[in-house]
């Protein structure tokens, strides 16, 4: 949802990807919605009616009721709250994670390992980032050409390559300080 390629301990003040033309539409619409919710906080109106808003930013959701990320990682393998406390937090955004820094490829590999599939690191071929981005760029260009701009590649698009090649970690310091947030479960326990 944030602008830029790498996110290392990203905090809530970083610019969002709402106006970045090369961001994936999903990312742009999440960023636009985030800004709309925060802007709706205490709008100045003559009738004195207003909203109290806050945004909770969840970079990735996994666990018992995860129907997307864990099944998606398992599909890839086959192919090859704490109690809420009412505080004065309206008009603010908060990053919520398990508090552990993980690189992108650690996530699916942990899921695969939990299902009994060990990945031999010696057999993993690592494509250079520049090459992966070039292939993704060609794929997106071909999709635009042959679908008249109506579709984007779902598996090897620029966004997917950026997520897998660049670091994305989020700071939950503000949520801990302001909300008293404590992750309920660690990464391995959630998987």
């Amino acid at each position: 949802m944030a602008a830029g390629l790498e996110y290392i301990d990203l905090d809530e003040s970083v610019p969002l990807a709402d106006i970045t033309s090369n961001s994936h539409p999903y990312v742009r619409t999440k960023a636009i919605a985030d800004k709309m919710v925060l802007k709706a906080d205490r709008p100045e109106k003559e009738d004195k009616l207003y909203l109290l808003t806050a945004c909770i930013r969840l970079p990735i959701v996994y666990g018992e009721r995860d129907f997307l990320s864990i099944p998606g990682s398992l599909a890839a393998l086959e192919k090859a709250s704490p109690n809420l406390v009412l505080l004065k937090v309206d008009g603010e955004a908060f990053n919520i994670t398990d508090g552990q820094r993980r690189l992108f490829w650690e996530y699916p590999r942990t899921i695969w390992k939990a299902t009994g599939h060990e990945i031999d690191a010696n057999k993993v071929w690592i494509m250079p980032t520049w090459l992966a981005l070039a292939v993704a760029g060609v794929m997106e260009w071909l999709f635009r050409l042959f679908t008249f701009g109506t579709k984007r590649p779902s598996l090897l698009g620029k966004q997917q390559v950026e997520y897998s090649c660049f670091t994305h970690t989020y700071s939950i310091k503000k949520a801990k300080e302001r909300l008293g947030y404590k992750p309920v479960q660690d990464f391995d326990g959630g998987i």
Side-chain angles (χ1 to χ4, degrees), residues 1-7 14-17 20 22-23 162-163 166 168:
M1 197 163 84
L5 296 177
E6 283 198 284
Y7 313 147
V14 83
L16 299 180
T20 307
N22 62 352
S23 294
E162 288 173 353
Y163 281 155
F166 297 106
H168 297 88

Side-chain angles (χ1 to χ4, degrees), residues 34-187:
D34 187 286
K35 283 191 169 187
M36 289 173 66
V37 168
L38 295 178
K39 186 177 179 182
D41 184 66
R42 296 185 182 261
E44 295 182 21
K45 295 190 177 195
E46 293 177 15
D47 60 7
K48 304 293 181 191
L49 293 176
Y50 56 87
L51 296 173
L52 297 176
T53 66
C55 287
I56 303 295
R57 297 176 180 163
L58 303 167
I60 189 166
V61 178
Y62 61 89
E64 185 178 340
R65 292 187 181 98
D66 167 22
F67 300 111
L68 182 62
S69 62
I70 290 176
S73 293
L74 292 175
L77 175 63
E78 289 176 8
K79 291 180 182 179
S81 170
N83 294 331
L84 294 177
V85 177
L86 296 177
L87 298 173
K88 188 76 173 148
V89 295
D90 56 287
E92 298 187 48
F94 298 90
N95 294 327
I96 302 295
T97 71
D98 60 16
Q100 296 178 323
R101 298 176 84 195
R102 297 272 179 168
L103 297 176
F104 174 84
W105 286 108
E106 289 179 59
Y107 181 75
R109 287 180 182 149
T110 301
I111 293 169
W112 299 337
K113 184 178 179 180
T115 62
H117 293 86
E118 285 286 336
I119 304 300
D120 182 358
N122 295 323
K123 294 183 179 178
V124 174
W125 182 69
I126 299 174
M127 180 184 293
T129 301
W130 67 266
L131 180 59
L133 287 170
V135 170
V138 169
M139 290 293 295
E140 287 194 357
W141 183 81
L142 290 172
F143 263 76
R144 281 191 198 108
L145 179 68
F146 291 110
T147 67
F148 302 105
T150 61
K151 293 185 180 179
R152 296 178 72 140
S154 60
L155 295 178
L156 192 57
K158 187 174 177 236
Q159 180 188 15
Q160 290 82 6
V161 171
E162 288 173 353
Y163 281 155
S164 66
C165 291
F166 297 106
T167 304
H168 297 88
T169 61
Y170 296 80
S171 169
I172 60 171
K173 180 181 177 186
K174 181 179 170 186
K176 285 180 172 181
E177 292 172 354
R178 299 287 312 283
L179 302 175
Y181 172 71
K182 293 178 187 165
V184 177
Q185 192 165 16
D186 68 3
F187 180 79

